[in-house]
């Protein structure tokens, strides 16, 4: 009978030790899960803060673009210096070739090529064709500049 009580006591002791080990393992697992959840929450918070900062930056960029548009619309149509809303004078910069310059260059090239093909004497035909093409290209390009507002028409 003493052996049975010893075995039962030993089994209870082992069972209780096993339960506490299981409980400790479960507690550790729960603690790890809590840490992971808090890290996830922290990363969600970081992402939310980053989204808010991105939205602020986009709003700022939109405001700058709107200010640029309003400032560019306040320039006079002549393209000279004007006063913007900030009170400073700025010059509108024209970029690229005008249509007149493009027309002149294209017309001269096409005219010279046509002159060479029409007149068999290469030099004379190229010169005459180039001059005629450059003149025609300039007239066509100048009319496009007037229509686009780049150049004011002569009255």
């Amino acid at each position: 009978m003493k052996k049975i009580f010893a075995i039962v006591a030993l089994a209870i002791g082992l069972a209780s030790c096993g339960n506490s080990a299981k409980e400790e393992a479960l507690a550790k697992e729960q603690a790890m899960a809590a840490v992971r959840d808090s890290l996830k929450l922290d990363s969600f918070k970081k992402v939310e803060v980053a989204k808010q900062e991105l939205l602020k930056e986009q709003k700022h960029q939109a405001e700058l673009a709107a200010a640029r548009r309003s400032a560019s619309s306040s320039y006079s149509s002549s393209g000279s210096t004007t006063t913007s809303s900030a009170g400073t004078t700025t010059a509108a910069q024209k970029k690229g070739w005008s249509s007149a310059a493009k027309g002149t260059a294209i017309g001269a090239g096409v005219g010279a090529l046509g002159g060479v093909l029409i007149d068999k004497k290469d030099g004379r035909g190229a010169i005459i064709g180039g001059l005629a093409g450059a003149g025609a290209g300039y007239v066509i390009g100048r009319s496009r500049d007037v229509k686009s507002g780049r150049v004011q028409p002569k009255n």
Side-chain angles (χ1 to χ4, degrees):
M1 188 80 141
K2 285 184 183 181
K3 286 185 180 183
I4 293 176
F5 283 124
I7 292 175
V8 171
L10 184 62
I12 292 173
L14 288 177
S16 66
C17 287
N19 285 342
S20 67
K22 287 181 185 177
E23 288 173 3
E24 285 181 30
L26 183 61
K28 283 183 181 180
E29 200 173 296
Q30 287 175 347
M32 290 298 289
V35 168
R36 280 190 227 120
D37 288 343
S38 69
L39 288 177
K40 285 181 186 176
L41 288 176
D42 187 43
S43 64
F44 285 131
K45 288 178 184 176
K46 287 180 183 178
V47 168
E48 191 64 35
V49 168
K51 283 182 183 179
Q52 289 174 354
E53 289 177 4
L54 181 62
L55 288 175
K56 286 179 184 177
E57 182 66 26
Q58 288 174 348
K59 286 180 184 177
H60 180 68
Q61 292 296 331
E63 289 172 359
L64 287 176
R68 286 184 196 133
R69 275 185 258 137
S70 67
S72 66
S73 66
S74 68
Y75 290 129
S76 68
S77 60
S78 66
S80 63
T81 60
T82 60
T83 304
S84 67
S85 61
T88 60
T89 36
T90 59
Q93 294 181 356
K94 298 176 185 174
K95 296 182 180 178
W97 284 30
S98 68
S99 293
K102 288 179 190 175
T104 303
I106 293 171
V110 170
L113 182 63
V116 168
L117 294 176
I118 292 172
D119 189 11
K120 297 301 178 192
K121 295 180 182 177
D122 294 338
R124 184 178 67 178
I127 292 171
I128 294 171
L131 291 173
Y138 175 78
V139 169
I140 293 170
R142 178 72 177 192
S143 67
R144 285 188 182 170
D145 280 341
V146 169
K147 286 179 185 176
S148 70
R150 184 175 177 113
V151 177
Q152 296 299 318
K154 292 181 181 179
N155 292 328

